Structures are given as C-alpha cells and as structure tokens.
Amino acid sequence: MHAAPHIRLHRLLLLAPPGAGKGTQAKRLSSQFGLQHISSGELLRQEVAAGTEIGNLAKDDLARGDLVPDEVILDMVLSRVCAAARSGRGYILDGFPRTVSQAEALHQELGSEPEVYLEVAIHLSVSREELRRRLLARAHREGRADDTRSTIEHRLEVFDGLTEPLLAFYERQGLLVTVNGEQSEDQVTAALLDVLGARPARV
Ligand code: AMP
C-alpha cells in the first residue's frame, strides 16, 4: 500500500485576490498533510454568526468588502497563528496577512524564529476576468453576502491597494513564488505540491 506523499515545506501563506482559490487549495493541502489551516475570513464569519464583540466590530466591513481594522484582525489571529506555528505541525495561512502592517506584525512575532516562520509565500495568479467569473459563480452556489457584483469590484480594488504590496514584501524576504491559479483545481494542486517539494512516500 502507498502512504501519502511527503512535502518538504510545511509553513506557507497563500497570497491572492478573492476568487483565486486560496480556500479550496488550503483545504486540500491541509487535509492531505495535516497542516493547520487558518483562514481569517472564515474566523470572522464565525464571529459574526456567533454575535461576538469581534463579530459586531467586523460585520459592516465584511458586508462592504472593506478590510477589518488591523488591530481587530491581529487580536483575533496573531496568537492563533503563533500557536499553530510553534506546534510544529505546519500551517497554511489563507487571507492573513492582508496588509503590510499585518505582515510586519507577523514577522515581528515569528521572524526571529526561522524554524517556525513562513517558508514560502505563494501568489496564485488569476486574471481579473476569471476572478469575476468565479466569484459570481460562488455567489450563486454559496450565497456569501460579499459576493455581489459591486462588492466584488470593491474587494478587487482593496486587494490592489492594500494587499498587492505584500508581493514585494515577501519578494524582499526571498519567500515569494508565483503559481498559475488559472488552471483547473487539480492542476493548481499539482503545481502547489511541486512548490512544496512533494515526493511520493516510500513503500
Ligand atoms: P475572505 O474570506 O478571505 O475573502 O475574507 C472575507 C472578508 O473578511 C474580507 O473581505 C475582509 O472584510 C475580511 N478579512 C479577512 N481577512 C482579513 C484580514 N487579514 N484583514 C482585514 N480584513 C480581513
């Protein structure tokens, strides 16, 4: 019997605009390799649904497609990311960090510990046209409140203004790798496995 393949890199960030497939790919990789999947968007939607203080602070921003303030996000996510990082299990960050100041905060917390800090920041590159198509399809499928036509446009602008500069940030740290996210889901997974240094398990 063949065991699951191994990967060489276990600490990754998926960095991409809405609709690029971060969540889908993060779920696949985390379940295949036992990595902890941390999605700031999912965590926020849970806080909103539970009516917590964070949820109440975040819900209008979520509905408009604006970013939730850095302090709120850092409060909610940073300790969780640090705990996951130090657990040694490996982790996938999906949707966090999303601003340079969030990335700096993460680097400040973990950057001095090379054995727990990110090993790779993967940019999933997808054309605007394809992103719009996928987000509208998701709206139809899942009915997410922020997948409406005008909110989608706004979220893409927010990505360009506030998140895109992270590409240069991680490039400077020597961590950035770009993967063509416009292929089929299976092809993207295969490309990601390649970046992560997957090799078949010995039998
Ligand atoms: P996502 O599920 O990653 O598309 O995130 C959905 C929404 O949650 C975003 O449009 C933002 O309003 C909010 N959000 C998620 N992650 C962050 C973050 N790291 N910083 C600020 N806002 C965020």
Side-chain angles (χ1 to χ4, degrees), residues 18 22 39-42 44-45 61-62 65-70 73 94-98 102 138 144 146 155:
K22 297 187 294 293
S39 158
S40 46
E42 277 301 324
L44 286 168
R45 284 186 285 279
D61 287 325
L62 244 87
D66 282 324
L67 294 191
V68 172
D70 286 337
I73 290 291
D94 158 11
F96 170 86
R98 225 175 178 103
Q102 291 177 14
R138 184 171 75 186
R144 236 175 83 167
D146 56 352
R155 285 158 65 212

Side-chain angles (χ1 to χ4, degrees), residues 16-163:
K22 297 187 294 293
T24 305
Q25 297 297 333
K27 283 190 192 108
R28 286 182 167 203
L29 295 175
S30 61
S31 67
Q32 192 172 357
F33 298 105
L35 310 175
Q36 199 156 330
H37 175 196
I38 301 183
S39 158
S40 46
E42 277 301 324
L43 291 170
L44 286 168
R45 284 186 285 279
Q46 285 165 14
E47 299 277 351
V48 172
T52 63
E53 198 183 334
I54 289 186
N56 290 332
L57 284 170
K59 71 169 183 282
D60 292 344
D61 287 325
L62 244 87
R64 280 193 301 262
D66 282 324
L67 294 191
V68 172
D70 286 337
E71 320 79 77
V72 177
I73 290 291
L74 290 171
D75 238 29
M76 182 183 75
V77 177
L78 199 54
S79 60
R80 216 180 282 251
V81 172
C82 291
R86 294 190 177 111
S87 76
R89 212 180 114 185
Y91 58 87
I92 306 183
L93 304 186
D94 158 11
F96 170 86
R98 225 175 178 103
T99 63
V100 170
S101 84
Q102 291 177 14
E104 282 167 346
L106 177 66
H107 187 241
Q108 200 168 343
E109 282 291 319
L110 294 180
S112 60
E113 302 173 62
E115 66 289 355
V116 300
Y117 189 54
L118 290 167
E119 293 171 294
V120 65
I122 303 176
H123 172 219
L124 294 176
S125 115
V126 179
S127 69
R128 275 305 131 103
E129 206 181 326
E130 176 64 9
L131 291 173
R132 291 189 182 100
R133 196 192 62 73
R134 289 185 190 176
L135 288 165
L136 288 170
R138 184 171 75 186
H140 203 65
R141 225 177 31 242
E142 297 175 16
R144 236 175 83 167
D146 56 352
D147 280 343
T148 63
R149 211 174 272 273
S150 64
T151 312
I152 287 169
E153 286 313 309
H154 184 56
R155 285 158 65 212
L156 293 173
E157 283 163 17
V158 167
F159 177 84
D160 289 342
L162 297 173
T163 308

